Amino acid sequence: MNTMKLLNKLLAGSIAVMLLLSANKGFSQGAEKASLSITLSYFEVNNQLPHISAMVKTKVDGRFKPAAGIPLKLFLSKDSSGTVIGNIITDENGQGFAFIPPSLKSEWKSSKTHTFLATFDGNKKYESAKADLTVAKAKIEISTSDKTITAKVFQLNDTTWVPVKGVDVKFGVKRLGADLPVNETPTFTTDSTGQAAADFKRDSIPGDSKGNIVLVAKVEDNDQFGNIAVEKTVPWGAKFIPVSNFNERTLFATRDKAPIWLIIVSGGIIIAVWLTLILLVQNIFRIKKLGQETE
Amino acid sequence: MENSIKGEQIIQDLLPRKFKTSGRIWVGILVAICLVGVYAYYRQLRYGLVVTNMRDYVSWGIYISNFVFFVAISLVGSLITAVFRLAGVKWGAPLTRIAEMIAVGAIIFASVIIIVDMGSPERFYNLFLYGRIQSPIIWDVIVITTYFFISLLLLYYPLLPDIKILLRFKEKSGPGLHKFYSFLGSFWKGSHKQYLLSKKAINALCVAIIPVAFTIHTVTSWLFATTYRPGWDSTNFGAYFIAGAFLVGAGSVVVAMYIFRTWYHLEKYITPDHFDKMGRVLVLLCLLYLYFNVNEFLTPFFKMKESEAGYLNDLFSGSFALTFWFAILTGIILPIIILLFKSGRKPLPMFIVGIMVVVGAWFKRYLIVTPTLLHPFMPMHDVPQMYKHYFPSWEEWAISMASLAGTMLIITILCRIFPIIPIQETLDEHHETVK
């Protein structure tokens, strides 16, 4: 009997220890932080102020999903903590961006390549993370003649710009949602002179009131140069003359601008019906007169 | 009609009668309901439309449902008087005045309820001063005015020969009514020329009222159909509304027939045969309306477009399901089943069916207006939760019930002043039968 009691106590004790251990394991799992993946991109349009864009993702149930609300610190140079571009917080798409501020102009000019750095210090939910991106300074020049667009890609070599061979360039027309390719070829590669040319085959594309459209030549997601683009306005589009029926005779215009057909049809019906009714009222007086004559 | 009924007996039977105690109580109840409605309307004028439960979502509530209901009922004047007359349907003759009285009463309150729905009724005249002919609302104003005028004329012309008879019974009608009859038709001598002019006018009115009646309800349907909302965005609406209007109008005539027949002991004039024939008309109209309902709901249900799904589900199985299926079953399906049997077309079952049709039709009009407004294509942001639900306030109920009571009061007063069944027409028919 005593042996049985002892066995029961041992069993209960073992179960309690097991439960405690498993609970401890559970807590330790809950305290584990998730890791973040940061991707940096470099953008420069029309040789103007460049900006750095960051995309932050985290793995949820085995899939990468955007991480919102992540504070990042951006630096111009990986090795210099004094070159802060700025602090950003990612939006609901896990994205954020910052322009290189004018205060870093001298640091920006001091080198032909820069290695941008993004750091995250970590918080209760995520481990700290960092990412860098090395970009060589480059530019595109665009020229047009006889419905042909030519782009020249240059790279900064110390103090001079030298043509770059073998860079993929896209030519497009700027539209509201995205850039429309100028012809059926998606990309063109620069030759030894750094040139790539494309024929413009969007003749009937609507432009502004003067037929102006904006052409764009761009290098996208290039390992060496990042994203650079240049634009040029040309009068190659069809003139867009806006058609407005404001203040004309329409169904939705003011009362003095009712469509003529509506006035005629409705007026005709109203006159016809009410004329009949007036005659029928007059008929009552005729009947009355007949009655008085009979008297 | 039995040949044994003598001419003088017919006149005595059909002359308007003074109210007895029950009649006075009936009028008293109607007046009391109207007075409560007037007080509620005073509150609406005093404090504004905020006393109603209409808000940004449901801006057309029970008032507009009532308006559509009245316009629908008024169509019966054109059906019984004009369509039957032009089609040579002789048996409908005793029912014409009942139909015209209902039409006049309903159209008056259709106009009144629209003014009630306006936040600032003192600005009503602006509709005429600044109304746009492009707007279906203006078309409705024009058509309702026209229809009201035609209905009055169609009530008045066939009354002329009866007024001559009424003028013979001064002691029975009293000096006040006698004076009124003299004003209305003392000039009617019943000469051949007068008869011809009157007949011509009635025929012209019968021809004119049919397109106007179709227009009044089609235009009323366009108030909805020209508005881009789930449930209203339908090309079926004009025909759907007209079919429903003829049904509820015929149903109301059946109810009135039974009440007048029982109250005034008119069994010799409104016979079971009349009920049987009206039953056949009613079942036809029920089937027609069922057909349009199937058209109206089956195709959207089949497609179940995302933008309309909320509205349709709310009707079929959601918060409006009970009302919806009640209206369909009570107003259409059950009447069809009952009326298919000969015993179902006897006076009492017909009376019950008539009430079912009218009550079902009222709820149907409520369902046309409210659920759609609660499910706009573009939901509003940042509105209080209460805006997304609608149940009329006591003021709205009181005013709406007063408008219904007012319509019945007009019909009651008209049947106190004028013969419910055309006396002269009944006499003519009697003479023809005797010959």
Side-chain angles (χ1 to χ4, degrees), chain A residues 26 117 196 223 263 280:
Chain A
L117 175 70
D223 293 340
I263 295 172
L280 288 170

PDB file of all heavy atoms in Angstrom, chain A residues 26 117 196 223 263 280:
ATOM      1  N   GLY A  26       7.642  26.595 -23.816  1.00  0.00           N
ATOM      2  CA  GLY A  26       6.646  27.449 -24.498  1.00  0.00           C
ATOM      3  C   GLY A  26       6.979  28.909 -24.348  1.00  0.00           C
ATOM      4  O   GLY A  26       6.973  29.656 -25.316  1.00  0.00           O
ATOM      5  N   LEU A 117      24.254  52.290 -46.271  1.00  0.00           N
ATOM      6  CA  LEU A 117      24.020  51.351 -45.168  1.00  0.00           C
ATOM      7  C   LEU A 117      22.678  51.651 -44.504  1.00  0.00           C
ATOM      8  O   LEU A 117      22.323  52.811 -44.286  1.00  0.00           O
ATOM      9  CB  LEU A 117      25.147  51.499 -44.124  1.00  0.00           C
ATOM     10  CG  LEU A 117      25.008  50.680 -42.840  1.00  0.00           C
ATOM     11  CD1 LEU A 117      25.197  49.192 -43.117  1.00  0.00           C
ATOM     12  CD2 LEU A 117      26.023  51.148 -41.794  1.00  0.00           C
ATOM     13  N   ALA A 196      22.735  53.379 -76.942  1.00  0.00           N
ATOM     14  CA  ALA A 196      21.657  52.453 -77.316  1.00  0.00           C
ATOM     15  C   ALA A 196      20.587  53.313 -77.976  1.00  0.00           C
ATOM     16  O   ALA A 196      20.337  54.437 -77.532  1.00  0.00           O
ATOM     17  CB  ALA A 196      21.092  51.751 -76.099  1.00  0.00           C
ATOM     18  N   ASP A 223      23.145  46.135 -61.158  1.00  0.00           N
ATOM     19  CA  ASP A 223      23.983  45.770 -59.998  1.00  0.00           C
ATOM     20  C   ASP A 223      25.007  46.840 -59.665  1.00  0.00           C
ATOM     21  O   ASP A 223      25.375  47.047 -58.505  1.00  0.00           O
ATOM     22  CB  ASP A 223      24.712  44.448 -60.272  1.00  0.00           C
ATOM     23  CG  ASP A 223      23.746  43.284 -60.360  1.00  0.00           C
ATOM     24  OD1 ASP A 223      22.621  43.452 -59.829  1.00  0.00           O
ATOM     25  OD2 ASP A 223      24.085  42.259 -60.963  1.00  0.00           O
ATOM     26  N   ILE A 263     -37.351  69.088 -74.694  1.00  0.00           N
ATOM     27  CA  ILE A 263     -38.331  70.181 -74.578  1.00  0.00           C
ATOM     28  C   ILE A 263     -39.470  69.953 -75.561  1.00  0.00           C
ATOM     29  O   ILE A 263     -40.643  70.085 -75.202  1.00  0.00           O
ATOM     30  CB  ILE A 263     -37.642  71.542 -74.837  1.00  0.00           C
ATOM     31  CG1 ILE A 263     -36.605  71.818 -73.742  1.00  0.00           C
ATOM     32  CG2 ILE A 263     -38.664  72.670 -74.901  1.00  0.00           C
ATOM     33  CD1 ILE A 263     -35.735  73.020 -73.991  1.00  0.00           C
ATOM     34  N   LEU A 280     -62.237  69.368 -72.657  1.00  0.00           N
ATOM     35  CA  LEU A 280     -63.231  68.587 -71.899  1.00  0.00           C
ATOM     36  C   LEU A 280     -63.891  69.441 -70.815  1.00  0.00           C
ATOM     37  O   LEU A 280     -65.071  69.252 -70.512  1.00  0.00           O
ATOM     38  CB  LEU A 280     -62.569  67.356 -71.283  1.00  0.00           C
ATOM     39  CG  LEU A 280     -62.200  66.262 -72.287  1.00  0.00           C
ATOM     40  CD1 LEU A 280     -61.334  65.197 -71.645  1.00  0.00           C
ATOM     41  CD2 LEU A 280     -63.446  65.630 -72.882  1.00  0.00           C
TER      42      LEU A 280
END
